[in-house]
């Protein structure tokens, strides 16, 4: 009798899909490799500099190094555990092919191995990518021997496997108690809220103080007193106890702690395998249970309908439909938390600038920052658009046929999608420019110029978002965050940055000539007036042409979506 | 009435639909048959204006789908082979949305939606999210959506898939009633018994070419399988296998 399918066979579909995806687009592969390489180099350089600086602090250097390592390991462990819980929920309980595998002659043990491998790879590759240059930096700065590199790799792999095992165990427990989709939604919102909260906290801690030597001392004091969870029972403590002695900073027993890590990981893995073997079918059955009806639905609809009343009928219909789906899908509305964090930090940055001491330098700084504000506000809008506008076409999903079969022209459809995206983004952009302009004490005329420029830019950014979204549709995924991080999303962001750079370059001279204090004593000549007019006309032409070309591209791709 | 005028679709070097010429009069139930990959769904997508033909066109009740797509689509109801819907809307919300897209009066939409949901035995779950529906329920909701605006042409791509026997029987009755009321029904199906039972005429597509067209009797004559000489072989299945060459291939 056959022993059943091998692990290789069970993970082959994912590997083959990845290979086909790469084959379809070599450009995509090249861009991804380039981005990854740039990220690695940046990460390695940053940590090398930090660690070299710590080495200059003779008394505290080793302690700081160790504390930083523990902080990194604890962060990795927390991120990995949450990531594995979310991923295991999909790979074990929500993926479409689980039903197929359950019906196939595949043993639970083999199923666990295959899905565990998928969970491990899907949730760990990013941390591994980030972690390796960090450990490499440690090794290089401390001139560690080959043993350190081997131990770092082994420690990292063991931690990854341990987190994946914990993820599978926790997920299975959650699914046994709560419906799987509810669990996924809740975890998703918690993760996004943690990211947004962490981002805001980090900014509000005023890291710029670290540029000041006296404040840097304060940071080091913080790090010295940092009470990272360092219980002897924590795997992160064992990992640190493996690595620190091998850096040569102090003695220890790395082999013992590596053994601790290895045995604990093995036990956790076997526990997850045992749990899946005995309870998987029960947990999977629970995961299939749908969500019960909810009274909140009618309230949402009654709130949205008046909002759409002033709009043309089709636009109103699409608005109500899009907003209803948006507020019922946690992967979409949770993005608002990130947006909120982004806006709070953005406005805070301007309120915290040291530009009101009355000196000429401060005045120049204010003018430079005010001009940079145009680029930054446009960048914020592009960052928001990649999350909210670019996925608009993909989020129609396979239900795209509903719109295509309806008596609705593609132009009408495009305009509806455009207004739905443009109006909130334009409101956000104008508020950012006005509020930050007030913090900076910008002249009202300059604010008006920036508001007009930003309106043109936002129209072009939205139009580009619809074009790239239609050109790189991901109709098979309903997760807005995933859609935004795809290849098309990256290209869209790069295109937006290019457009912003061109517009800012065109406006740099006219704005400085018209509004900067050092030019104020000199009246604008006729020649300068003409040049300023040409520059502003250039801004209008660039943005309007981009808008129009993107619009026709989007409509052409709408037709191809079928 | 539906008119296909030299409709052709090529994907790269392969021809999926080859110069299809066909007229289907009002009130007829037309069965569109063919083996897998024959080009049926591609033909339907071109007919519905969701896929651009390489050449030729389709005229729906006098409106060219290429030149006047909105007018043509306003006459037509469409049930695709895979009923992908908006999972985060309720059944009722989806029908309201579709009713609006097809320009129904606001006052009529709710009443029409309720009638259809009742007819398809879904009223009790009208306020539940579509993501909680079974495949059969989604299929019935898609049918309801296609009928919301009382179309003069109904295009169905494998509508029986996922329906239980009761649902299948109800759909057959609805299609007969619609045709009696003058609605043209274009039905693509693999269910030969359904085609045999319902269709006034049948067209068989094979490798993109219309290899047979006519009533069941005419097709039987063409396949030289007269019922009186070979009653056991006189089924549409035999005709289909003979005309598409599937019998020989097997």
């Amino acid at each position: 009798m056959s022993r059943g399918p091998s692990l290789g066979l069970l993970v082959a579909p994912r590997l083959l899909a990845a290979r086909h995806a790469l084959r379809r687009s070599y450009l995509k592969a090249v861009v991804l490799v380039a981005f990854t390489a740039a990220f690695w180099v940046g990460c390695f350089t940053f940590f090398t500099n930090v660690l070299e600086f710590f080495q200059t602090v003779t008394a505290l250097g080793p302690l700081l190094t160790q504390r930083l390592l523990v902080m990194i390991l604890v962060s990795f462990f927390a991120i990995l555990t949450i990531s594995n819980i979310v991923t295991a929920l999909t790979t074990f309980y929500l993926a479409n092919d689980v039903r197929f595998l359950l019906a196939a002659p595949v043993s639970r043990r083999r199923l666990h191995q295959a899905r565990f491998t998928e969970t491990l790879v899907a949730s760990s590759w990013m941390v591994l990518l980030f972690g390796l240059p960090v450990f490499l930096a440690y090794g290089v700065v401390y001139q560690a021997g080959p043993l350190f590199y081997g131990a770092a790799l082994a420690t990292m792999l063991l931690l990854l496997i341990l987190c994946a095992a914990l993820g599978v165990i926790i997920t299975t427990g959650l699914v046994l108690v709560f419906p799987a989709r509810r669990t996924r939604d809740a975890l998703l919102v918690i993760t996004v809220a943690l990211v947004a909260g962490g981002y805001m906290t980090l900014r509000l801690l005023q890291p710029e103080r670290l540029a000041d030597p006296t404040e840097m001392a304060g940071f080091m004091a913080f790090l010295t007193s940092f009470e990272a969870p360092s219980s002897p029972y924590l795997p992160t403590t064992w990992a640190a106890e493996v690595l620190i002695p091998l850096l040569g900073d102090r003695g220890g027993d790395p082999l013992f702690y590596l053994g601790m890590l290895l045995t604990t990981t093995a036990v956790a893995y076997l526990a997850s395998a045992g749990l899946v073997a005995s309870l998987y079918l029960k947990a999977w059955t629970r995961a299939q249970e749908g969500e019960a009806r909810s009274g909140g639905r009618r309230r949402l609809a009654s709130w949205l309908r008046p909002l759409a009343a002033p709009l043309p009928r089709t636009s109103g219909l699409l608005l109500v439909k899009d907003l209803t789906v948006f507020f019922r899908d946690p992967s979409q509305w949770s993005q608002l938390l990130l947006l909120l964090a982004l806006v709070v930090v953005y406005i805070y940055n301007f309120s915290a600038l040291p530009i009101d001491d009355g000196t000429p330098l401060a005045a120049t700084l204010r003018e430079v920052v005010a001009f940079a504000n145009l680029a930054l506000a446009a960048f914020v809008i592009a960052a928001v658009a990649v999350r909210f506008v670019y996925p608009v076409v993909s989020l129609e999903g396979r239900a795209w046929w509903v719109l295509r079969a309806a008596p609705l022209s593609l132009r009408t459809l495009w305009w509806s999608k455009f207004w739905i995206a443009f109006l909130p983004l334009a409101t956000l952009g104008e508020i950012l420019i006005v509020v930050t302009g007030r913090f900076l004490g910008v002249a009202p005329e300059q604010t008006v110029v920036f508001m007009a420029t930003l309106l043109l830019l936002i129209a072009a950014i939205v139009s580009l978002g619809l074009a790239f979204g239609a050109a790189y549709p991901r109709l098979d995924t309903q997760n807005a965050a995933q859609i935004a991080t795809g290849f098309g999303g990256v290209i869209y962001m790069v295109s937006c940055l290019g457009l912003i750079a061109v517009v800012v370059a065109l406006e740099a001279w006219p704005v400085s000539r018209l509004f900067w204090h050092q030019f104020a004593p000199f009246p604008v000549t006729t020649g300068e007036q003409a040049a300023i007019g040409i520059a502003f006309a250039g801004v209008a032409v660039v943005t309007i042409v981009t808008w129009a070309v993107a619009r026709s591209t989007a409509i052409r791709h709408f037709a191809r979506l079928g | 009435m539906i008119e296909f005028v030299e409709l052709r679709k090529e994907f790269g070097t392969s021809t999926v639909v080859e110069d299809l010429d066909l007229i289907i009069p009002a009130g007829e139930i037309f069965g569109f048959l063919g083996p897998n990959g024959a080009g049926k769904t591609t033909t339907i997508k071109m007919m519905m204006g969701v896929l651009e033909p390489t050449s030729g066109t389709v005229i729906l009740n006098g409106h060219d789908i290429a030149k006047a797509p909105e007018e043509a689509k306003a006459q037509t109801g469409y049930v695709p082979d895979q009923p992908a819907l908006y999972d985060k809307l309720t059944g009722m919300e989806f029908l309201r949305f579709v009713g609006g897209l097809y320009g129904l009066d606001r006052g009529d939409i709710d009443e029409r939606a309720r009638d259809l949901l009742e007819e398809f035995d879904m009223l009790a779950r009208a306020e539940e999210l579509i993501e909680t529906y079974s495949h059969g329920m989604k299929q019935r909701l898609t049918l309801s959506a296609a009928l919301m605006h009382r179309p003069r042409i109904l295009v169905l791509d494998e509508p029986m898939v996922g329906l239980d026997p009761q649902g299948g029987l109800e759909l057959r009755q609805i299609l007969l009633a619609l045709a009696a009321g003058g609605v043209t029904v274009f039905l693509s199906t693999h269910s030969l018994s359904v085609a045999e039972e319902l269709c006034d005429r049948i067209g068989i597509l094979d490798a993109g070419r219309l290899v047979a067209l006519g009533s069941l009797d005419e097709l039987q004559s063409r396949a030289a399988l007269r019922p009186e000489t070979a009653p056991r072989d006189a089924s549409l299945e035999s005709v289909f296998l003979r005309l598409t060459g599937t019998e020989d291939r097997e």
Side-chain angles (χ1 to χ4, degrees), chain A residues 174-207:
Chain A
L174 286 172
V175 169
L176 282 167
V177 181
F178 306 105
R181 282 176 180 79
R182 273 289 168 94
T183 309
R184 180 186 57 182
D185 292 350
L187 282 170
L188 196 107
V189 174
I190 290 168
T191 309
V192 174
L194 281 175
V195 171
Y199 173 59
M200 274 204 293
T201 311
L202 207 64
R203 180 62 193 93
L204 300 180
L205 278 172
Q206 296 177 294

Side-chain angles (χ1 to χ4, degrees), chain A residues 181 185 290-291 293 297-298 301 305 313-314 317-318 321 324-325 328-330 395-396 398-410 559-562, chain B residues 48-51 70 73-74 78 80 82 84-86 88-90 93-94 96-106 109 124-125 127-129 131-132 142:
Chain A
R181 282 176 180 79
D185 292 350
E291 192 188 343
R293 63 180 67 191
R297 282 183 207 126
R298 285 208 181 106
R305 256 183 253 162
R313 189 162 188 210
T314 308
L317 277 168
L318 288 170
K321 190 269 290 175
T324 306
V325 171
R328 283 188 189 151
D329 182 357
L395 287 171
E396 288 290 337
R398 305 225 166 268
W400 181 252
W401 69 269
V402 176
L403 300 177
R404 292 290 283 116
L408 180 72
S409 75
L410 293 176
R560 285 185 193 156
L561 279 172
Chain B
M48 290 310 305
V50 298
L51 187 67
E70 283 92 76
K73 289 173 184 178
Y78 173 43
Q82 287 171 351
L85 304 168
Y86 299 107
K88 295 289 178 189
L89 297 188
T90 65
E93 286 169 346
F94 178 65
R96 278 196 199 113
F97 175 63
V98 172
L101 285 180
Y102 282 83
L104 263 64
D105 286 343
R106 283 189 171 87
I109 288 180
R125 297 190 62 184
E127 298 299 338
E128 290 181 32
L129 294 184
E131 68 183 6
T132 65
T142 312

Side-chain angles (χ1 to χ4, degrees), chain A residues 50-51 53-72 138 142 219-228 230 240-241 244 247-250:
Chain A
V50 169
L51 293 172
F53 173 75
F54 282 170
Q55 285 211 318
T56 63
V57 191
T58 47
L60 289 172
L63 184 63
L64 290 172
T65 308
Q66 292 165 27
R67 287 290 159 92
L68 186 65
L69 187 65
V70 173
M71 268 176 82
I72 291 168
Y138 264 93
Y142 282 83
F219 172 66
M220 288 191 297
F222 159 73
L223 206 56
T224 311
S225 62
F226 170 65
E227 290 295 329
S230 54
E241 288 299 325
I244 292 167
L247 286 172
D249 258 7
R250 64 166 166 78

Side-chain angles (χ1 to χ4, degrees), chain A residues 61-402:
Chain A
L63 184 63
L64 290 172
T65 308
Q66 292 165 27
R67 287 290 159 92
L68 186 65
L69 187 65
V70 173
M71 268 176 82
I72 291 168
L73 288 169
V74 169
S75 308
F76 278 1
F77 196 77
I79 293 166
L80 277 168
T81 306
I82 292 174
S83 169
N84 275 291
I85 291 171
V86 175
T87 311
L89 200 61
T90 302
T91 54
F92 277 83
Y93 298 105
L94 296 173
N96 289 329
D97 58 346
V98 174
R99 191 188 303 268
F100 172 72
L101 289 177
L102 274 174
V106 179
S107 70
R108 297 276 183 278
R109 188 170 58 85
R110 189 66 88 210
L111 186 77
H112 170 265
Q113 287 168 357
R115 293 290 134 149
F116 187 90
T117 309
E118 266 187 58
T119 308
L120 178 68
V121 172
S123 55
S124 307
W125 67 270
M126 202 177 268
V127 171
L128 194 64
L129 199 71
F130 180 74
L132 288 181
V134 173
F135 292 121
L136 194 64
Y138 264 93
V140 168
V141 171
Y142 282 83
Q143 296 172 339
L147 211 55
F148 169 80
Y149 295 105
L153 197 62
T155 307
M156 201 63 193
L157 284 175
L158 287 173
L159 273 184
L160 295 180
I161 297 171
L162 178 60
C163 290
L166 290 177
V168 173
I169 292 169
I170 294 169
T171 298
T172 303
L174 286 172
V175 169
L176 282 167
V177 181
F178 306 105
R181 282 176 180 79
R182 273 289 168 94
T183 309
R184 180 186 57 182
D185 292 350
L187 282 170
L188 196 107
V189 174
I190 290 168
T191 309
V192 174
L194 281 175
V195 171
Y199 173 59
M200 274 204 293
T201 311
L202 207 64
R203 180 62 193 93
L204 300 180
L205 278 172
Q206 296 177 294
E208 67 273 15
R209 289 180 303 155
L210 304 182
D212 182 340
T214 54
E215 294 285 0
M216 189 65 196
F219 172 66
M220 288 191 297
F222 159 73
L223 206 56
T224 311
S225 62
F226 170 65
E227 290 295 329
S230 54
S231 155
Y233 300 108
L234 271 180
T236 46
T237 309
W238 307 334
E241 288 299 325
V242 172
L243 298 176
I244 292 167
L246 292 176
L247 286 172
D249 258 7
R250 64 166 166 78
D253 193 355
L255 205 58
F256 170 76
Y257 286 104
L258 191 64
M260 290 282 283
L261 205 54
L262 181 67
T263 48
T264 306
T265 302
V267 168
Y269 175 79
L270 291 174
S272 78
L275 196 67
V276 167
S278 56
L279 290 172
Y280 185 65
L281 193 59
K282 191 174 178 183
W284 190 80
T285 309
R286 285 274 304 158
Q288 305 315 299
E289 290 171 11
E291 192 188 343
R293 63 180 67 191
S294 149
R297 282 183 207 126
R298 285 208 181 106
R299 283 198 296 278
L300 179 65
S302 61
W303 177 71
L304 289 174
R305 256 183 253 162
L307 199 70
L311 296 173
R313 189 162 188 210
T314 308
S315 300
L317 277 168
L318 288 170
L319 176 72
V320 170
K321 190 269 290 175
D322 285 348
L323 287 180
T324 306
V325 171
F326 180 86
F327 284 113
R328 283 188 189 151
D329 182 357
S331 85
Q332 293 191 53
W333 66 255
S334 61
Q335 303 290 310
L336 286 176
L337 298 172
L338 284 177
L339 173 63
L340 181 73
L342 196 68
V343 170
V344 167
V345 168
Y346 188 83
I347 292 175
Y348 173 78
N349 281 342
F350 283 90
S351 70
L353 280 172
I355 49 169
D356 51 359
D357 61 2
T359 62
L361 183 65
T364 304
L365 179 67
R366 181 168 59 232
E367 283 159 350
V368 171
V369 170
F371 186 68
N373 185 27
L374 173 66
L376 289 171
F379 175 74
V380 168
I381 293 298
V384 174
V386 79
R387 291 265 166 186
F388 292 99
V389 183
Y390 173 74
V392 154
V393 176
S394 294
L395 287 171
E396 288 290 337
R398 305 225 166 268
W400 181 252
W401 69 269
V402 176

Side-chain angles (χ1 to χ4, degrees), chain A residues 274-555:
Chain A
L275 196 67
V276 167
S278 56
L279 290 172
Y280 185 65
L281 193 59
K282 191 174 178 183
W284 190 80
T285 309
R286 285 274 304 158
Q288 305 315 299
E289 290 171 11
E291 192 188 343
R293 63 180 67 191
S294 149
R297 282 183 207 126
R298 285 208 181 106
R299 283 198 296 278
L300 179 65
S302 61
W303 177 71
L304 289 174
R305 256 183 253 162
L307 199 70
L311 296 173
R313 189 162 188 210
T314 308
S315 300
L317 277 168
L318 288 170
L319 176 72
V320 170
K321 190 269 290 175
D322 285 348
L323 287 180
T324 306
V325 171
F326 180 86
F327 284 113
R328 283 188 189 151
D329 182 357
S331 85
Q332 293 191 53
W333 66 255
S334 61
Q335 303 290 310
L336 286 176
L337 298 172
L338 284 177
L339 173 63
L340 181 73
L342 196 68
V343 170
V344 167
V345 168
Y346 188 83
I347 292 175
Y348 173 78
N349 281 342
F350 283 90
S351 70
L353 280 172
I355 49 169
D356 51 359
D357 61 2
T359 62
L361 183 65
T364 304
L365 179 67
R366 181 168 59 232
E367 283 159 350
V368 171
V369 170
F371 186 68
N373 185 27
L374 173 66
L376 289 171
F379 175 74
V380 168
I381 293 298
V384 174
V386 79
R387 291 265 166 186
F388 292 99
V389 183
Y390 173 74
V392 154
V393 176
S394 294
L395 287 171
E396 288 290 337
R398 305 225 166 268
W400 181 252
W401 69 269
V402 176
L403 300 177
R404 292 290 283 116
L408 180 72
S409 75
L410 293 176
R411 281 191 182 80
T412 309
L413 181 58
W414 186 89
W415 275 112
S416 297
K417 295 285 183 195
F418 175 79
W419 287 120
I420 288 169
F422 176 75
L423 291 176
L425 279 187
T427 309
L428 173 68
E430 300 295 274
I431 288 173
L432 283 182
I433 283 287
V434 171
V435 171
T436 51
R438 290 207 55 176
F439 278 127
L440 294 168
V442 174
E445 300 82 9
Q446 189 177 344
T447 302
V448 169
V449 169
F450 283 177
M451 286 173 77
T453 309
L454 199 58
L455 268 186
L456 289 170
L457 262 174
I458 293 171
I461 286 171
V462 169
S463 189
L464 279 172
L466 293 175
F468 278 100
Y472 296 93
R474 293 182 64 179
L475 303 178
D476 53 343
T477 176
Q478 287 297 302
N479 188 326
Q482 265 179 12
I483 295 166
T485 52
F487 178 71
V490 174
I491 301 288
Y492 168 51
M493 200 63 200
V494 171
S495 306
C496 287
L497 293 181
L499 175 70
I500 294 166
V502 170
V503 167
V504 167
L506 280 169
E507 273 199 5
W509 177 75
V511 166
S512 61
R513 180 66 190 88
L514 286 173
F515 303 113
W516 286 19
H517 73 282
Q518 65 263 43
F519 298 117
F522 313 105
V524 179
T525 63
T526 315
E528 284 176 332
Q529 276 179 356
I532 288 168
I534 290 168
F536 282 133
V539 169
V541 168
V542 166
T543 48
I544 291 170
V545 167
T546 306
W547 173 87
V549 171
R551 176 175 171 269
S552 59
T553 308
I555 291 174

